[in-house]
Amino acid sequence: MAAGVCAGLGRYTGIDVVIFRVGFPLLALANGQGVLLYIAAALLMPEEAGRMSPGEQLLRRRFDGDTVLVVLGALLGLGALITAAGGGLSGGALTAVTVFALVLLAAHARKVDFADVVRTLPERLRGHPPDWSAPSGTPSPPVSLRKTGPLPDGMIDLATLRPAPGESGRPYDPPAGAAEPPASPAHGCASRPASVLSSVTLLVAMMAAAAAIPVAHGHPVTGVVQIAAATGLAVVGLGLVAGSVFGRGRGLTVWGTVLSLGLMTTSVVAEAPVNGRFGDVVWRPVDATRSEQSYKVTVGGGRLDLTALPLGPGQRIRVNGQIMMGELRVSVPRGARVELHLKAGLGDATVDKRLTSGPNAKVTEVLEPDGRPKNPPTIELHLRSTVGDLEVTRA
């Protein structure tokens, strides 16, 4: 809807555009990676066939659509690895890894040979000059991520999740010459016996998810849902592995996709600030009796003015500030000692006009009070943002 990236990806791969329009915002809210991926895709994808994308114009090279998909997939995998390594089992890391697993699942359904992808990647990244034209009879690249025909028996195509004709979204049009799916066998003809793998796997997945709920007792509601969904998804994943070996398990891909999207959604919700405000918010606290104070914004801009706090000599107070998407600016008094602990996921952290650029910008330092009094009050300031900027200034 912004640059046509999701519509272009849906049209090229044959996967419902809604899948992409859900995935990008979830990644953006979870760890900010969706914003970077969307910008990269907009730079690499041309607006119209036959035209050069901004990235191609800058590099003076042309790249085919499969190369663009491989590059985006590699960036997604790298981001998932970095997020998982730096964030542990946080909601953002879980979301990134789950999206990457979905991409691998879709690529496997397209019969992508990952060994060929790695082997041909250097040649693909070199591209070709803008005036390059393929001579007649030139074979197609050995690796294709674009849907060109029916999938193997036993696989479910994500394109089947598209809306019906006439609803919102653009249905997938098979390329000319593509084979039609086999018709249902007539009554009385021999047919392949129905597989019980999907039913058994789904039954075991539900039992495992139900058994995980008591184990997750004591966690928040979103945490219980995450643990149950992750347990069920793990069982479905094992069923998919078994189905790929024995050629069975129809329908497990759809259920795996549904569970994955549900798991990602709860991960993003769990990362959102509890009781967070929306829009532009201004705080000017004047009560210093509480030893800890918290201020949260979900989406918008926050301004926190701590200069009016009546702090006495030697008094210590902790202030927490959190914003999911937007900007959070904090003003601190010059007569107080301020211990800063800033972390910006996708954004910048600025302290007295000193900029620390993201992503994952971190600032840990101490601002000494003016005049260096013997027993100054201390403000322990903890600020965190998911997608946005943090700024601390002296009043």
Side-chain angles (χ1 to χ4, degrees):
M1 295 181 179
V5 168
C6 296
L9 289 174
R11 188 179 304 113
Y12 188 84
T13 61
I15 297 174
D16 188 357
V17 66
V18 175
I19 300 296
F20 295 102
R21 287 177 176 165
V22 169
F24 276 107
L26 285 176
L27 283 175
L29 293 176
N31 56 10
Q33 188 182 2
V35 178
L36 298 177
L37 283 174
Y38 196 92
I39 294 175
L43 292 175
L44 293 174
M45 295 170 56
E47 294 184 2
E48 299 177 0
R51 297 181 58 182
M52 295 183 66
S53 67
E56 291 174 326
Q57 295 176 9
L58 180 64
L59 298 174
R60 299 181 182 276
R61 308 293 290 180
R62 302 204 68 168
F63 307 97
D64 57 26
D66 291 346
T67 301
V68 174
L69 289 182
V70 171
V71 170
L72 295 178
L75 291 176
L76 175 61
L78 179 62
L81 179 62
I82 295 175
T83 305
L89 297 178
S90 65
L94 184 61
T95 301
V97 173
T98 305
V99 172
F100 185 58
L102 277 174
V103 171
L104 293 180
L105 181 63
H108 175 67
R110 295 292 195 273
K111 298 191 298 183
V112 172
D113 189 337
F114 295 103
D116 281 347
V117 171
V118 175
R119 185 173 59 254
T120 61
L121 184 58
E123 180 181 356
R124 289 177 173 274
L125 291 179
R126 284 196 296 268
H128 49 75
D131 58 349
W132 180 89
S133 58
S136 58
T138 301
S140 302
V143 180
S144 179
L145 303 181
R146 186 175 185 177
K147 180 178 178 181
T148 56
L151 300 180
D153 189 19
M155 301 297 291
I156 294 295
D157 188 1
L158 291 178
T160 59
L161 300 178
R162 68 184 184 273
E167 298 180 3
S168 61
R170 178 173 178 175
Y172 170 72
D173 295 323
E180 292 293 333
S184 302
H187 179 71
C189 297
S191 61
R192 185 175 182 175
S195 171
V196 297
L197 179 62
S198 295
S199 301
V200 172
T201 301
L202 292 177
L203 179 61
V204 174
M206 289 187 290
M207 295 173 60
I213 294 178
V215 177
H217 179 71
H219 289 77
V221 176
T222 54
V224 175
V225 175
Q226 283 181 327
I227 293 174
T231 304
L233 183 60
V235 176
V236 172
L238 293 176
L240 285 170
V241 173
S244 64
V245 174
F246 299 104
R248 301 296 179 92
R250 294 181 63 89
L252 289 180
T253 302
V254 175
W255 284 107
T257 302
V258 172
L259 284 174
S260 299
L261 292 177
L263 186 59
M264 289 187 297
T265 303
T266 55
S267 299
V268 172
V269 172
E271 289 292 306
V274 179
N275 299 325
R277 305 280 295 274
F278 290 85
D280 294 332
V281 186
V282 178
W283 295 283
R284 188 178 175 85
V286 294
D287 181 11
T289 58
R290 293 180 297 163
S291 61
E292 182 171 351
Q293 301 180 12
S294 297
Y295 305 90
K296 302 176 182 179
V297 179
T298 302
V299 178
R303 173 68 186 272
L304 175 59
D305 188 354
L306 300 177
T307 59
L309 279 175
L311 300 175
Q315 184 177 358
R316 187 179 187 90
I317 186 173
R318 172 169 174 155
V319 177
N320 303 313
Q322 184 179 359
I323 186 167
M324 188 170 186
M325 180 176 291
E327 181 184 31
L328 180 59
R329 302 174 62 187
V330 182
S331 300
V332 295
R334 292 184 176 274
R337 187 173 186 265
V338 183
E339 298 177 356
L340 295 176
H341 303 274
L342 277 61
K343 181 179 180 181
L346 182 64
D348 301 329
T350 305
V351 178
D352 276 346
K353 299 182 180 180
R354 288 180 282 110
L355 177 66
T356 301
S357 298
N360 292 325
K362 296 181 181 180
V363 176
T364 302
E365 63 177 270
V366 177
L367 300 179
E368 296 293 344
D370 292 348
R372 302 289 181 120
K374 292 183 179 180
N375 191 22
T378 301
I379 299 177
E380 187 179 341
L381 186 59
H382 294 258
L383 302 180
R384 179 187 176 189
S385 73
T386 303
V387 182
D389 298 330
L390 301 175
E391 182 178 358
V392 178
T393 58
R394 292 275 197 173

